[in-house]
Every structure is written in structure tokens, then in C-alpha cells.
Amino acid sequence: MKKIIFICLIATMFFACKSASSTASTEATPLSTKLDRPSQVAIKGNWVLTNVSYPGSDYIKVNSFDLADSKCFIGSTWNFISNNNKGTMTLTAPSCTAFTSPIVWSINNQGLFVLKIVEPGTKSKNVKSGYLLKVAGLSDNSFQLIDTINVGGQTKEVTYQFQRAN
């Protein structure tokens, strides 16, 4: 998972920040701050992360979002509020440490999902790092977030599959 560090002069709008590092898909093109409102409205609501898949998943462990093993995210619940780009994520997998956190998110017009995990009690404007993932397969009832990782010098994609909960 590519972690990005945000450099902000105007901290109130996290998606107006410049990324100090980027994913492969944005290396040649600067990160756009223009939002894809129709996509954001499409994922408004409650979702369950139903699967995490990537080549070699039987042998390779991926630490997702610098929080937990990727398999701990299966069954996690996510709430996305599109009018203020806030929400929550909750991990409840039986053999993993439970975790709940507010999030701040957006989808830009490059099809990138920008995610900040906000520690409870911290203002999102004070969180200076986040994650970039590609949005794919967006429909009324499902979508995927795709991360690009480096495994032994090779680029692999980690796909997080979401299903609508309501």
C-alpha cells in the first residue's frame, strides 16, 4: 500500500493537498483535486468489505492501511457520507484486533480514492498522511478499491471488494 504524505497550506480540504509520494498511476500526472461527485454519491451509505485478493495471498501477508493483516479487513464495515467526505470503518474479524476509526475520503476525477484514517479525538486537518487506491467496478451494489504494492521487485494489485450493506 502506497502511503502518501500530504503537504497542506489550506488544511480544511484534505483533497486540496499535494501528495509528496504517489502511486504508479499518478507518477506522470499530478494528483487532481477535482472531485468525481457522481462516484462519491454512488458509494454513499453502508458497505461491507467482503474479500481481499491478490496474487500469492496464500504465501504473502499484506499489512493494509498500516493497521492489520489484509485478511482482518474481510467483514469490516464502512460508512461513506458523500456530502462531507467523512465516514467510519470498523474491523471485527474474530481472530484480529477490533478497530474503529473515523475516516475522511474522496474520489477524484482520475478515479483515485483518497483515504485518511483519523485517530479518534484528532481533527482530520491535522492528519498529514493517507492512501491512494484506484476505484473499479462501481455499481449500485458493489465496487472495488485496488492498491498497487511491490513484492520482491514486482508490482502486484491488492483488490478490496465491497458490497452494499443496506
Side-chain angles (χ1 to χ4, degrees):
M1 170 126 350
K2 292 277 186 177
K3 189 171 187 179
I4 59 174
I5 306 299
F6 294 107
I7 302 167
C8 299
L9 295 176
I10 302 172
T12 58
M13 301 298 282
F14 80 94
F15 42 81
C17 303
K18 180 180 175 192
S19 169
S21 69
S22 60
T23 64
S25 65
T26 61
E27 286 177 358
T29 307
L31 182 62
S32 174
T33 59
K34 294 186 184 212
L35 300 180
D36 180 349
R37 293 272 183 214
S39 293
Q40 289 189 170
V41 170
I43 70 165
K44 177 176 114 177
N46 297 311
W47 296 81
V48 176
L49 198 156
T50 58
N51 191 38
V52 178
S53 61
Y54 51 93
S57 61
D58 293 336
Y59 310 103
I60 302 167
K61 289 195 178 277
V62 172
N63 185 12
S64 295
F65 307 109
D66 295 320
L67 291 174
D69 182 82
S70 61
K71 301 301 179 191
C72 291
F73 282 81
I74 297 172
S76 63
T77 56
W78 297 63
N79 172 263
F80 300 106
I81 304 168
S82 63
N83 67 338
N84 66 4
N85 297 98
K86 293 186 178 183
T88 57
M89 63 179 235
T90 302
L91 280 65
T92 58
S95 60
C96 301
T97 302
F99 179 81
T100 298
S101 179
I103 60 173
V104 178
W105 64 280
S106 67
I107 301 173
N108 72 10
N109 65 354
Q110 295 166 312
L112 294 174
F113 186 91
V114 181
L115 173 68
K116 286 172 61 171
I117 299 170
V118 182
E119 300 267 337
T122 302
K123 293 185 177 193
S124 63
K125 69 180 183 179
N126 295 330
V127 177
K128 304 296 183 203
S129 63
Y131 305 90
L132 290 176
L133 300 102
K134 291 181 262 181
V135 178
L138 181 56
S139 72
D140 290 342
N141 295 308
S142 67
F143 73 96
Q144 296 88 37
L145 293 179
I146 301 171
D147 189 23
T148 303
I149 63 170
N150 183 318
V151 178
Q154 295 181 348
T155 300
K156 304 288 182 191
E157 289 187 340
V158 178
T159 301
Y160 299 92
Q161 176 69 48
F162 288 82
Q163 296 293 321
R164 188 171 295 279
N166 57 353

